[in-house]
Amino acid sequence: MSTLRNTVINQIIDYLEYGDFCAEDFDSLFPDDSTVLAQITFKALPKYTFVLDETYSGGSIGSALAVMGQGNAKKVIRTVEKPGTYKNLETRTHEDIDSAITRISAWVRSIRDDLINSRATLRSTIDELTESFQKSIDENIDDPESYFESHEEDAIKAKLDELHKRVSELEKKLDFTPEETKKIEKAIEKSKSDLKVYPKGVWYKTAGTKLLTVMKGILKSKEGREILADLAKKLLQ
């Protein structure tokens, strides 16, 4: 028999029926003879959990003193939510069980919001190729705060022109559209104009990263990624 009464368990189940989800989307455990009163896991993505338990005010020290019969710590109900309202993990204490279990609907809403926004977060994450490129800049660019000399500008423009030519060849080979080609061409021209504006380190990290970002959105095959890595390497030589 679980520690919680059936009435409270039914209330918890009702709160799981929120929005896009239903109670069957969750594994719900209600242990007996435990400080953990309820443990709920989102089946589709088990990193999302909600724990309802009993503890003592004052944290671990308060708990230790309470066990020894010392101190003024009192027993409180706690919720541990992954994700929380604005952090990946949030812990709250509550004066009563009702205020604790009402947090379940907020937790379910946070799961939905996190799932909706995960695609945008994934897009914004620097991938391995971009990270490697930026690391190479730090390792290979001497005096990154200095500006390009005329001969250095000419050498880079020649590389960008070669890149432009290579893109035209890839358009047919890798079957991407003229519109996608124009995106790369626009990024190349912008990179050229920025040569006189930015210090070396800033130029490589902004112009180079922009080119990689545009191109990796187009060159998605294994062959395309290998070509892209080669182009990034040549840009730094």
Side-chain angles (χ1 to χ4, degrees), residues 90-136:
E90 292 179 9
T91 301
R92 290 179 170 83
T93 57
H94 308 269
E95 292 293 330
D96 54 64
I97 190 67
D98 288 335
S99 65
I101 64 176
T102 56
R103 287 298 310 167
I104 295 173
S105 60
W107 171 67
V108 173
R109 183 168 58 248
S110 294
I111 291 176
R112 183 178 183 279
D113 291 343
D114 214 45
L115 292 171
I116 290 173
N117 289 284
S118 62
R119 181 184 293 271
T121 302
L122 184 61
R123 286 200 305 267
S124 68
T125 302
I126 297 178
D127 69 7
E128 184 178 345
L129 177 61
T130 306
E131 188 175 11
S132 175
F133 176 76
Q134 293 189 343
K135 183 179 179 181
S136 295

Side-chain angles (χ1 to χ4, degrees), residues 176-189:
F176 52 85
T177 67
E179 288 74 19
E180 291 172 326
T181 302
K182 289 178 182 178
K183 288 182 182 179
I184 298 176
E185 291 174 344
K186 185 177 180 181
I188 290 173
E189 292 306 311

Side-chain angles (χ1 to χ4, degrees), residues 39-50:
Q39 181 167 332
I40 306 167
T41 303
F42 185 54
K43 291 180 181 178
L45 211 55
K47 69 175 183 177
Y48 296 139
T49 60
F50 184 97

